[in-house]
Amino acid sequence: MAKEKQLLEHWRELTPEKQQKVLEFVESLKSESEATSINTEYIPQTPLADSNTCI
């Protein structure tokens, strides 16, 4: 929670214009992470994925 408190302290020192820029940046980070989320159900189908294959 220390980071949250630190962010809030810095936030309060910003002008409304800079607060808006921060919000836009955070929203872009969030949408970026949603767009590049990893499919954890993906199972590779290559010979390298086969644990019985020795190179």
Side-chain angles (χ1 to χ4, degrees):
M1 181 119 143
K3 288 182 183 180
E4 184 176 337
K5 183 178 178 183
Q6 187 178 17
L7 281 169
L8 189 54
E9 288 172 1
H10 289 302
W11 172 268
R12 290 178 177 151
E13 296 171 1
L14 296 173
T15 64
E17 292 81 17
K18 291 195 176 188
Q19 288 179 355
Q20 182 61 38
K21 285 184 178 184
V22 170
L23 283 174
E24 291 169 3
F25 176 69
V26 170
E27 288 171 355
S28 72
L29 287 177
K30 186 176 181 219
S31 65
E32 186 179 292
S33 67
E34 289 171 352
T36 60
S37 65
I38 298 172
N39 181 357
T40 56
E41 296 179 22
Y42 175 75
I43 300 171
Q45 300 297 315
T46 64
L48 295 176
D50 186 359
S51 62
N52 296 323
T53 304
C54 296
I55 298 176

